[in-house]
Amino acid sequence: DMAARGVDIENISHIFNYDLPQDPELYVHRVGRTGRAGKTGIAISLITHKEQWRLHRIEGFTKQKITQMPIPTIDNIEKHREDQLRKQITAGLESGNYQKELQLVTRLVEDGHNPLKIAAVALNLARGEEKNNPLTEISQTREERPQKVRYENQRSRKENGRDAGDAKCEKGMVRMTLSAGKSRGVRPADIVGMLSYHGNFPGSAIGNISIFDEHTFVDIPQRFVEQTLAKAGKIRISKNAVTLKRAVR
């Protein structure tokens, strides 16, 4: 909640990155939407400590430092909401556009109700939407060492006497084959970034990756297979087109 930290975001466009892209060019293309037609905007990226390396790649590519900001507390947000409500009430009092409501309040006072309690009840009703969006404290993430993507190189291509392409996947996973390998400079990070982007699913869902000289095997969840294959024609690694299909057993 940037506004809770005093940033005026009412008159500017803003983009939230809930899953930071691994390709810096994709990040620039995405956040560039905030500045179209000469407008000003803010891009807010939500990342964990495990994704810091992605942030550093983007900073190196754009040659700009991305400002890190603390997560607002419940007190921060509640104070912001109250400040906004007080501003709205003050503006309403100055406008004088409340004659019908004043008549209702007058009748309530004549019925013996306390004016302050009437105002409190009215504010309670006005803030009803906030009750439908309860606040939950967000704990700070714990810094951990980034986990390495599980993959095998050509020296370990045999798995229980079988080629990695013949080995069984974990339950719920499907083995895919990519027409590029070590000879094309393929790295696990490239595979994860490319598939998660085109398949529109989190990179953390990808399973084993086995990179050989001319091809690569990668396991992805069954539920993402069709949507990933639908974009297979657009897949490129180092600007070179590659093919993706189910591995032949």
Side-chain angles (χ1 to χ4, degrees):
D1 191 342
M2 295 288 287
R5 293 191 289 270
V7 179
D8 180 12
I9 61 174
E10 293 183 1
N11 299 315
I12 59 177
S13 58
H14 44 281
I15 287 177
F16 287 86
N17 290 300
Y18 293 100
D19 188 10
L20 201 64
Q22 295 189 25
D23 187 340
E25 290 188 28
L26 294 178
Y27 173 85
V28 172
H29 174 72
R30 182 185 298 175
V31 304
R33 298 171 185 170
T34 61
R36 289 180 179 176
K39 296 182 180 180
T40 300
I42 290 177
I44 301 171
S45 300
L46 306 179
I47 67 171
T48 65
H49 286 288
K50 293 180 180 179
E51 298 173 305
Q52 288 284 350
W53 64 275
R54 298 189 190 182
L55 187 65
H56 296 327
R57 285 186 63 186
I58 291 171
E59 289 178 332
F61 181 79
T62 60
K63 294 180 173 58
Q64 294 185 44
K65 186 72 174 175
I66 297 177
T67 304
Q68 181 175 342
M69 302 188 74
I71 298 174
T73 65
I74 290 180
D75 288 340
N76 293 149
I77 298 173
E78 287 182 342
K79 183 179 182 304
H80 170 70
R81 287 178 173 179
E82 291 177 359
D83 289 343
Q84 291 296 100
L85 184 58
R86 186 165 58 182
K87 289 179 181 178
Q88 292 173 355
I89 293 173
T90 300
L93 289 171
E94 293 174 350
S95 71
N97 187 24
Y98 49 78
Q99 297 308 311
K100 289 185 178 180
E101 290 76 12
L102 183 58
Q103 292 175 11
L104 177 57
V105 171
T106 300
R107 289 199 297 270
L108 289 169
V109 172
E110 290 173 350
D111 290 339
H113 296 289
N114 185 302
L116 290 178
K117 291 183 178 180
I118 294 172
V121 171
L123 288 176
N124 187 48
L125 294 173
R127 302 179 72 177
E129 185 177 345
E130 293 180 11
K131 296 178 182 179
N132 296 326
N133 296 283
L135 298 173
T136 302
E137 190 73 59
I138 300 176
S139 59
Q140 295 291 334
T141 58
R142 184 178 57 184
E143 185 166 4
E144 300 176 355
R145 284 182 170 273
Q147 294 182 349
K148 293 183 178 179
V149 178
R150 294 171 292 167
Y151 76 100
E152 303 168 0
N153 57 29
Q154 191 173 16
R155 287 174 297 181
S156 60
R157 66 181 301 170
K158 293 295 181 179
E159 190 172 310
N160 295 327
R162 299 173 295 177
D163 187 275
D166 297 324
K168 291 184 178 180
C169 298
E170 295 179 19
K171 186 177 181 180
M173 306 291 280
V174 174
R175 182 146 298 166
M176 311 295 291
T177 181
L178 190 72
S179 64
K182 292 198 302 182
S183 64
R184 301 267 289 274
V186 172
R187 301 168 301 170
D190 298 324
I191 303 296
V192 173
M194 176 266 297
L195 290 180
S196 62
Y197 172 68
H198 290 290
N200 193 28
F201 64 88
S204 58
I206 292 175
N208 289 321
I209 297 175
S210 302
I211 302 176
F212 304 105
D213 282 340
E214 302 299 332
H215 66 281
T216 298
F217 290 119
V218 55
D219 298 346
I220 67 174
Q222 172 72 53
R223 63 186 183 279
F224 299 132
V225 170
E226 294 306 321
Q227 66 193 55
T228 303
L229 288 175
K231 297 292 183 66
K234 299 181 179 180
I235 292 177
R236 295 173 126 7
I237 291 182
S238 299
K239 298 183 179 181
N240 296 312
V242 295
T243 60
L244 177 74
K245 58 186 179 180
R246 291 173 183 266
V248 179
R249 296 296 178 86

